[in-house]
Amino acid sequence: MSKSSEPMNRRDFLSKSAAAIAGSAVLPHTALSYEKIVGANDRISLGHIGIGNRGTELDQIASQLKTSHNVEMTAVCDLWKVNRDKAAATNESYYGRAPRAVQHLEDLLAMKDVDGVFISTPEHSHSPILKIVTEAGKDAYVEKPMGNVLSEVKASRDAVLQGKTIVQVGTQHRSEPYPTAAHEVVQSGALGDVSKIEIVWNYHGPRWRGREEVKEIREQDTDWTKWLMTKSARPFDPQLYFEFRLYKEFSSGIPDQWMSHGIDLVHWFMNDNFPKSAVAHGGVFAWHDGRENADTFEALLEYPKGFLVSYSTSFGNDAPSFTRYMGKKATLINIGGEGSPRYQVIQEKGTHEEDADIDTKREAKYILLHGEKLPPMSIDDLSLEHMGNWFDCMRSRKQPNATVQNGFAHSVACMMAAQSYWSGKKVFWDSATETIVDTPVTG
Ligand SMILES: NC(=O)c1ccc[n+]([C@@H]2O[C@H](COP(=O)([O-])OP(=O)(O)OC[C@H]3O[C@@H](n4cnc5c(N)ncnc54)[C@H](O)[C@@H]3O)[C@@H](O)[C@H]2O)c1
């Protein structure tokens, strides 16, 4: 059988259509718009597992790319009837056609036409679901952290590498323009040798407590056993269901939620992926509301290239948030908390000991793009670039901006910090065996 007469699978078909589009780029836009070339067959068919708060945002983002990237949400899956019905109605309003709605992910994965799947369940099920989705031959966009149990994160990464599916991990700042420009500054060597990075992200309030759905959910409208996924059976607990970020067995809290974003940017900017060692401390000091995970947390991580990262969060005080990359020639300051697009480079000269006014004499420049004014100090989680990058990569079969290797690395850093916090001991990364160990690794 000649190659050309072999049956083409959906993946080949989608990538060939992309080549056809690229080849026709010389034709005037009006003569050949994207929609006219691409028919219903090569529209990317999306499925979605777990559509709560973040899932609703992901659907909104995808809908804004439906024309530019020719995608449609054709199937939604949520264990809880209320969120499943909401997601079906919202996506019908986006695409003018109701998606198929199922309770269990196996039913969604059995749909042959579904090319790619969003996974935005709570973090204890990210890696297990990523593995199942991959083994069903689907591409995936999986929320961060990629996982929080080492054996599960490894298994999902290995499945993706073996299955050659295209997986984007939901650390979206990797695809945003300002972090991309800041990445270039660090990579250019403009900061000189960087020996210390400080991340301080604060918030005042009982974060992650008080979800409205806790009062609304009834056990008979969901499937509690499936929600627990790999965890042991226990009575139905609506607080755990929606406030999972506060409970140790399901989430590490601050590391899984926030440090995953911050440390992922460090790995990318510094091109150094696994901490050598980590130590962490903290506690429940601000909100005595039954939470298990810390509301005040600090981790120190040492990296092989020779720098120390301090990560610090308080939920009891909203003092200004920032990230600082401290080099011998300059400091890169990201002013604001997670995702802030405001970056400034400040020349490193003199010392405060010699000159108390040295700060006023150091040259400081904001990183600005395309003549834009000073960007804000915060953004929402609705940027489009990361999802667009995944759709592009689903067609080209190239690796996206946040690969499973990157997701594995941020998960390792967060798991090391959490393990140190709970054990009260310094922990080390053994890259040869990919394990977290309690003695320094030599050689
Ligand atoms: N990238 C970002 O900036 C960002 C922002 C917010 C949240 N997140 C991530 O999103 C994840 C979800 O957070 P959330 O606040 O949206 O949670 P949520 O509780 O609001 O939503 C989770 C949904 O998943 C459903 N679900 C759980 N297990 C399921 C399963 N096995 N099959 C089908 N449905 C299932 C639940 O019924 C619920 O509707 C978190 O892990 C978080 O880290 C990422």
Side-chain angles (χ1 to χ4, degrees):
M1 193 160 56
S2 80
K3 254 208 146 20
S4 60
S5 63
E6 280 171 21
M8 209 192 276
N9 64 27
R10 272 200 57 79
R11 203 184 277 177
D12 291 343
F13 188 75
L14 290 172
S15 69
K16 288 208 168 98
S17 330
I21 294 159
S24 61
V26 285
L27 290 167
H29 261 296
T30 44
L32 214 50
S33 77
Y34 190 93
E35 275 160 315
K36 280 179 188 147
I37 313 160
V38 182
N41 274 343
D42 49 10
R43 178 163 300 153
I44 290 177
S45 168
L46 297 169
H48 194 161
I49 301 171
I51 311 149
N53 273 0
R54 180 55 177 164
T56 303
E57 291 182 341
L58 292 179
D59 285 354
Q60 188 185 334
I61 295 169
S63 76
Q64 289 177 58
L65 298 169
K66 69 177 179 185
T67 305
S68 60
H69 289 72
N70 198 17
V71 300
E72 180 176 347
M73 184 64 67
T74 66
V76 293
C77 162
D78 198 291
L79 294 174
W80 188 35
K81 188 176 181 321
V82 171
N83 275 356
R84 188 165 67 247
D85 291 349
K86 260 189 218 159
T90 310
N91 281 293
E92 182 173 5
S93 77
Y94 289 150
Y95 299 96
R97 179 153 66 149
R100 293 155 290 181
V102 294
Q103 184 179 24
H104 293 115
L105 60 90
E106 293 77 11
D107 295 327
L108 183 144
L109 296 178
M111 296 172 191
K112 289 211 165 44
D113 64 289
V114 170
D115 304 303
V117 177
F118 300 155
I119 304 166
S120 48
T121 58
E123 48 256 34
H124 72 280
S125 53
H126 290 171
S127 278
I129 296 179
L130 175 59
K131 185 165 178 286
I132 302 168
V133 166
T134 303
E135 286 167 354
K138 316 283 191 200
D139 295 331
Y141 183 110
V142 60
E143 266 308 337
K144 44 55 59 175
M146 193 166 107
N148 55 18
V149 174
L150 184 53
S151 58
E152 293 174 1
V153 194
K154 266 196 226 177
S156 65
R157 176 204 58 185
D158 293 348
V160 170
L161 295 180
Q162 204 190 341
K164 297 193 169 47
T165 52
I166 298 299
V167 174
Q168 179 84 292
V169 182
T171 43
Q172 69 272 19
H173 308 303
R174 270 191 190 242
S175 297
E176 291 163 359
Y178 284 94
T180 301
H183 167 260
E184 279 162 28
V185 168
V186 177
Q187 286 292 307
S188 73
L191 306 185
D193 288 338
V194 174
S195 52
K196 177 88 195 293
I197 297 164
E198 298 175 338
I199 307 173
V200 177
W201 291 350
N202 295 324
Y203 174 80
H204 186 140
R207 192 82 185 191
W208 305 320
R209 190 56 99 196
R211 287 280 300 255
E212 285 298 316
E213 300 94 324
V214 170
K215 288 179 236 138
E216 199 186 342
I217 193 167
R218 298 179 311 165
E219 187 171 5
Q220 61 266 35
D221 295 334
T222 186
D223 186 335
W224 176 236
T225 307
K226 292 280 185 196
W227 187 93
L228 287 170
M229 184 68 52
T230 55
K231 309 297 184 193
S232 58
R234 67 203 73 197
F236 180 60
D237 181 347
Q239 274 192 307
L240 175 56
Y241 198 106
F242 285 107
E243 298 174 347
F244 53 86
R245 291 161 170 92
L246 303 177
Y247 299 100
K248 177 188 175 188
E249 204 187 334
F250 292 82
S251 171
S252 62
I254 290 169
D256 275 357
Q257 286 301 310
W258 286 14
M259 196 182 116
S260 52
H261 278 301
I263 210 68
D264 179 67
L265 289 178
V266 169
H267 291 173
W268 180 40
F269 284 12
M270 299 299 288
N271 194 21
D272 206 2
N273 285 307
F274 295 95
K276 260 171 86 165
S277 65
V279 66
H281 208 339
V284 178
F285 301 131
W287 305 105
H288 302 280
D289 57 7
R291 65 182 62 218
E292 293 172 2
N293 285 330
D295 57 24
T296 309
F297 180 85
E298 189 124 3
L300 293 170
L301 305 106
E302 180 194 357
Y303 278 79
K305 282 191 175 167
F307 59 91
L308 187 71
V309 180
S310 60
Y311 177 88
S312 169
T313 286
S314 162
F315 287 161
N317 176 288
D318 191 45
S321 297
F322 63 87
T323 303
R324 290 202 282 230
Y325 288 74
M326 301 161 77
K328 283 198 174 135
K329 288 197 222 155
T331 311
L332 172 74
I333 306 191
N334 184 204
I335 304 162
E338 186 217 311
S340 161
R342 190 177 291 183
Y343 284 89
Q344 193 178 35
V345 180
I346 301 176
Q347 180 192 24
E348 175 69 4
K349 73 166 186 193
T351 67
H352 286 91
E353 223 170 88
E354 291 154 3
D355 181 352
D357 295 325
I358 191 70
D359 281 337
T360 59
K361 296 170 190 162
R362 290 174 171 162
E363 197 189 329
K365 278 188 194 156
Y366 286 104
I367 298 181
L368 301 176
L369 299 174
H370 321 299
E372 277 179 56
K373 286 191 259 128
L374 199 57
M377 275 168 53
S378 68
I379 53 161
D380 54 32
D381 294 333
L382 291 168
S383 57
L384 304 183
E385 297 89 351
H386 205 51
M387 181 92 64
N389 172 248
W390 180 53
F391 294 149
D392 290 340
C393 292
M394 283 178 73
R395 291 188 191 278
S396 68
R397 310 312 292 171
K398 289 194 181 131
Q399 283 302 310
N401 290 340
T403 66
V404 284
Q405 306 280 24
N406 305 135
F408 180 62
H410 81 227
S411 301
V412 165
C414 295
M415 286 183 284
M416 287 174 71
Q419 190 168 317
S420 172
Y421 171 78
W422 286 108
S423 67
K425 289 182 185 145
K426 187 171 181 179
V427 296
F428 303 83
W429 178 240
D430 185 342
S431 54
T433 59
E434 292 193 324
T435 49
I436 299 170
V437 294
D438 54 11
T439 50
V441 179
T442 49

